[in-house]
Amino acid sequence: MSRRRARRVALLAVAMLAVLPVVAARAVEPTADAVTLDRVQVTSARLQSVPAFDVPASLSVVTLDGTAARPGVSVSEALDGVPGLAARERQNFAQDTQLSIRGFGARSTFGVRGLRLYADGIPATMPDGQGQVSHFSLAGAERIEVLRGPFSALHGNSSGGVVQIWSADGVDPTQGHVQASAGRDDSRVLSASVRGAGDMLGGALAASRFETDGWRDHSAARRTSLNAKLHAALPGGGRVQLVGNHFDAPDAQDPLGLTAEQVRADPRQATAVALQYGTRKSARQDQLGLRLEQPLGGGHALEAMAYAGRREIEQFLSVPVGAQSNPLSSGGVIDLDNDYGGLDLRWRWAGSLAGRTLEFTAGANADRQRQHRRGYENFVGDALGVRGALRRDERNRVENVDRYAQAWWQFAPRWSLLAGVRHSQVRFRSRDGYVSADNPDDSGRVDYAETTPVLGLTFAPHADWRLYVSAGRGFETPTFNELGYRADGGAGLAFDLAPATSTNVELGTKWRTAGGVQIEAALFRADTDDELAVARNVGGRSSYRNVGRARREGAEIAAVLPFGADWSLAIAATWLDARFRDTFPICTGAGCTDPSVQVPAGASIPGTTRRQASARLQWEPGDWRLALEAVAVDRIGVNDTGSEQAPGHAIANAEAARSWNTARGRWRAFARVDNVFDHAHIGSVIVNEGNGRYYEPAPGRGLLLGLRWDWQSGMD
């Protein structure tokens, strides 16, 4: 899609939103099942008694009720309609979903960084800021929460935004589901769940299995996930919850990115070196977490959380044999074992100050990650894509100790204040076990510390209208992957990197009606000092440097508009201008070691798009559900110099579902056509890829068929 066409699509979405208040004023009276927003409690704001509508922050809740005509494999499936958030599915299951919020996290080439991730309240982001969403289980999930803006900083290091997934609790009577679906490229998904509860004890179990041959060559994958939750009531209104999950994805093939010429020739091809070296990745994770909530009387309550887990990664890269002749090379096979765990303890008090409602929270948390990183050659003799000689052996440790406090005070009938502060200490330690005459000891340590205050003010001119302003500071340390290689090519870790610090401001409004209309809009700006960016790519390895100032600013708007009992329209649009504000030198081209090319001040931050919009029109007459979707994305820069961009695109999707109630439960058959008009486009990009293979093409038109059975005990 041309830039002009992308602009028209985005402007059309914004124009439609501009007339929503007028249309909503004529909406029908509320139905019996209309949503009441003030009952929504969003835990990512760390507030217990304050509804999301009154929080001076951009908060989105995506309900996962089992009615989506989706396979339920990736978290990106549920996030299309969240403003300010980009969730790009790579069609490469050897790499994690690309997530970014308001430009934070956009430059990540693997995993998720710059954002805080949680599953059932347990961190999925390590203390160094690197996170994963691969183990997020949609099979038994109840909702996803997305927090954007300054108050994300209350979650600590790398909090450009917060994404949380919550699994469903056990219920009485016992109920569950079985779902099967099949789609293009011989993709199959089977999932099931069961939930039950008694007077004191409840539990839920969900499992899924996914297999695909892959849309691109050399992209077959298999994933198995299991999520279990056990919860029990405690005397005095308390609650304890035990959550465990298992994730296994062996030998997911990696087709790597393509150049622009390769995309034009055949977007389904794999890079030649991917086939030559058999690039692939295996991931396995097991995790257990315990949460406790206990009222203490007098408005006081205690909350505690403890978790521990292990994640194992083995990845075969396409690092050329010649590049590994360098005695400082780490080889072409990554063998990474991660043991991690942490504690969080907080005290909460709900009372009053000067006769006005007050909620106060104070707490501390500590997290630790122990990493054993080994590197091996990816060849033995003439055989490529096999584990060879050891080239790296180090034990890394990163840990944080944070203390935080926040208070929400409704100091006047129409005014409320939310204030908080967090002090974080992050410590990195590395002990090198691979030392030789040509490869010196790389051991080292570095400590970071930062205090991040936030403040927000909310005004309620009407019971269903809020205006708010918020401001705060955040920070982002380099991850261990970014510390791994020095920009000057010398031995040792890049302990000279400084954390990036940001000042964030947001001005927003929220509006709702009794008929279920919801409209939210926000203006935002984040100014960053010591922005981290790629310095060079050599021998399959990226090194980083601090490049000075950056700015991310923009606007976002989202609306849900029901038309009577059967029709609804949901729209989201985002405008983002993300730029470097200082000039800095970089390397360009494969093997470059001299950063002599200057990136000018004002250059766009790669991985970000200036405009994106989505719309979903849904019709539910009786037992049917029909929906049309449209998604438009402006062009995406792929490197710091801006010499290339992934072109913008607009695609349409359609779905239909039919439900039947029977004596043995409710059956639901569904069909979905993605990319109805078979539009060729780029799904995601690999920022600053050293060989110019920036592009990961998205699939053409595809059909998904599925069947779901929801059952409940006691049915005849």
Side-chain angles (χ1 to χ4, degrees):
M1 183 178 68
S2 68
R3 183 178 183 183
R4 177 176 296 178
R5 187 178 174 191
R7 182 184 297 112
R8 287 176 177 173
V9 173
L11 289 176
L12 177 60
V14 173
M16 294 175 67
L17 288 168
V19 302
L20 285 182
V22 178
V23 178
R26 303 175 182 175
V28 297
E29 291 300 313
T31 58
D33 57 352
V35 176
T36 306
L37 281 186
D38 59 4
R39 294 181 182 177
V40 177
Q41 180 191 102
V42 182
T43 56
S44 54
R46 297 190 183 276
L47 294 169
Q48 187 71 27
S49 59
V50 182
F53 193 65
D54 290 317
V55 176
S58 295
L59 297 161
S60 297
V61 180
V62 179
T63 302
L64 304 174
D65 56 6
T67 62
R70 297 278 199 166
V73 175
S74 171
V75 69
S76 63
E77 300 172 20
L79 299 176
D80 281 344
V82 177
L85 183 148
R88 302 190 183 111
E89 186 55 56
R90 298 175 179 271
Q91 296 301 313
N92 178 354
F93 292 98
Q95 304 293 339
D96 219 336
T97 301
Q98 274 188 339
L99 287 182
S100 65
I101 293 178
R102 296 180 176 177
F104 286 97
R107 63 179 176 79
S108 177
T109 55
F110 46 86
V112 180
R113 55 109 58 246
L115 310 179
R116 299 298 294 183
L117 309 172
Y118 297 87
D120 283 313
I122 298 170
T125 299
M126 296 295 101
D128 67 343
Q130 188 77 42
Q132 306 284 340
V133 295
S134 55
H135 70 290
F136 278 19
S137 174
L138 296 180
E142 180 182 65
R143 70 187 188 279
I144 299 175
E145 301 174 2
V146 181
L147 172 66
R148 308 176 297 283
F151 277 91
S152 302
L154 286 180
H155 291 260
N157 177 27
S158 297
S159 295
V162 180
V163 179
Q164 298 203 63
I165 189 169
W166 293 93
S167 58
D169 287 343
V171 293
D172 183 23
T174 301
Q175 58 185 246
H177 91 277
V178 178
Q179 177 174 311
S181 63
R184 60 184 161 208
D185 312 311
D186 200 22
S187 297
R188 296 92 63 196
V189 185
L190 178 64
S191 67
S193 70
V194 59
R195 298 189 289 148
D199 293 337
M200 299 293 291
L201 188 66
L205 181 66
S208 69
R209 175 67 174 256
F210 164 68
E211 295 183 73
T212 182
D213 290 343
W215 182 73
R216 292 179 59 193
D217 296 338
H218 191 67
S219 62
R222 182 175 76 249
R223 289 185 169 188
T224 303
S225 65
L226 179 69
N227 195 82
K229 175 191 282 189
L230 184 67
H231 53 87
L234 299 175
R239 171 186 166 95
V240 64
Q241 174 179 291
L242 181 67
V243 179
N245 59 60
H246 167 77
F247 173 77
D248 186 34
D251 293 323
Q253 295 176 338
D254 187 351
L256 303 180
L258 300 177
T259 65
E261 293 76 14
Q262 289 171 326
V263 171
R264 287 190 289 267
D266 179 9
R268 302 189 67 165
Q269 67 175 302
T271 304
V273 292
L275 303 175
Q276 183 181 12
Y277 286 91
T279 50
R280 60 196 184 274
K281 177 182 176 181
S282 296
R284 180 185 176 95
Q285 178 170 311
D286 294 286
Q287 181 175 278
L288 194 65
L290 182 70
R291 292 174 55 86
L292 170 69
E293 302 172 8
Q294 182 62 57
L296 302 176
H300 299 273
L302 183 68
E303 298 179 15
M305 184 270 293
Y307 71 98
R310 181 176 177 83
R311 186 176 180 90
E312 301 170 349
I313 299 291
E314 182 187 52
Q315 186 169 13
F316 287 77
L317 307 175
S318 59
V319 180
V321 172
Q324 297 173 67
S325 62
N326 185 331
L328 300 182
S329 171
S330 298
V333 179
I334 297 173
D335 187 342
L336 184 61
D337 294 336
N338 268 307
D339 292 307
Y340 58 90
L343 300 166
D344 190 303
L345 181 65
R346 72 185 67 155
W347 161 73
R348 189 187 306 276
W349 177 68
S352 62
L353 176 65
R356 298 291 182 180
T357 303
L358 173 71
E359 180 178 319
F360 180 79
T361 302
N365 76 281
D367 305 277
R368 174 179 288 183
Q369 172 189 5
R370 293 181 180 271
Q371 184 183 91
H372 189 190
R373 180 185 291 269
R374 286 159 293 190
Y376 298 87
E377 294 174 344
N378 58 0
F379 63 93
V380 176
D382 294 330
L384 303 179
V386 295
R387 182 182 293 214
L390 179 70
R391 298 297 300 274
R392 184 176 189 176
D393 185 3
E394 65 187 39
R395 295 185 181 272
N396 302 319
R397 186 176 82 244
V398 58
E399 55 192 15
N400 71 275
V401 177
D402 290 18
R403 293 167 289 278
Y404 56 87
Q406 75 175 50
W408 182 86
W409 184 33
Q410 188 172 12
F411 61 90
R414 295 179 179 270
W415 295 86
S416 62
L417 182 72
L418 179 60
V421 64
R422 187 181 188 106
H423 180 73
S424 300
Q425 295 175 295
V426 186
R427 302 182 178 92
F428 290 84
R429 304 289 184 269
S430 180
R431 181 165 56 85
D432 191 0
Y434 185 82
V435 180
S436 67
D438 298 321
N439 192 329
D441 191 344
D442 297 341
S443 301
R445 56 185 289 174
V446 64
D447 296 344
Y448 302 109
E450 192 69 35
T451 299
T452 52
V454 290
L455 180 67
L457 183 67
T458 302
F459 173 58
H462 184 271
D464 292 326
W465 185 19
R466 299 291 184 271
L467 297 169
Y468 68 88
V469 61
S470 60
R473 285 181 57 80
F475 83 111
E476 181 180 7
T477 69
T479 67
F480 250 128
N481 289 319
E482 292 162 344
L483 290 169
Y485 304 95
R486 286 170 44 175
D488 62 5
L493 303 185
F495 287 129
D496 60 330
L497 292 178
T501 58
S502 299
T503 300
N504 303 281
V505 294
E506 178 178 347
L507 175 65
T509 184
K510 305 177 186 181
W511 185 65
R512 64 185 180 183
T513 72
V517 174
Q518 306 171 34
I519 299 179
E520 298 189 9
L523 301 173
F524 58 87
R525 173 181 284 182
D527 286 328
T528 302
D529 292 324
D530 291 321
E531 179 80 18
L532 287 162
V534 171
R536 67 175 195 163
N537 287 294
V538 178
R541 298 292 192 264
S542 298
S543 57
Y544 295 79
R545 63 157 44 98
N546 296 104
V547 297
R549 298 174 300 161
R551 172 172 290 173
R552 299 166 175 88
E553 61 182 350
E556 61 188 34
I557 189 167
V560 176
L561 178 64
F563 298 98
D566 298 337
W567 290 87
S568 65
L569 176 67
I571 303 177
T574 305
W575 173 77
L576 172 67
D577 187 22
R579 298 183 180 276
F580 298 110
R581 300 180 66 195
D582 288 327
T583 299
F584 61 94
I586 62 168
C587 270
T588 58
C592 170
T593 60
D594 178 21
S596 57
V597 176
Q598 295 292 320
V599 175
S604 296
I605 297 176
T608 64
T609 184
R610 195 172 179 84
R611 287 169 289 267
Q612 65 180 46
S614 66
R616 177 182 171 92
L617 180 64
Q618 186 167 287
W619 182 40
E620 293 188 83
D623 293 325
W624 284 90
R625 173 184 282 187
L626 307 174
L628 294 174
E629 296 176 350
V631 178
V633 179
D634 204 352
R635 61 184 183 179
I636 304 171
V638 300
N639 55 12
D640 290 329
T641 61
S643 61
E644 292 191 41
Q645 299 88 30
H649 64 270
I651 61 171
N653 311 309
E655 64 182 52
R658 174 69 161 87
S659 298
W660 295 268
N661 289 317
T662 71
R664 295 186 178 276
R666 183 176 179 86
W667 291 86
R668 179 181 178 85
F670 59 88
R672 179 180 173 90
V673 179
D674 287 303
N675 196 358
V676 172
F677 300 108
D678 200 25
H679 180 67
H681 63 287
I682 301 299
S684 62
V685 299
I686 306 172
V687 173
N688 289 318
E689 208 279 340
N691 298 287
R693 299 192 291 257
Y694 304 116
Y695 306 103
E696 294 181 300
R701 181 171 47 243
L703 174 65
L704 175 75
L705 298 175
L707 184 65
R708 181 184 176 100
W709 173 45
D710 288 281
W711 58 269
Q712 181 175 299
S713 65
M715 288 185 169
D716 296 326

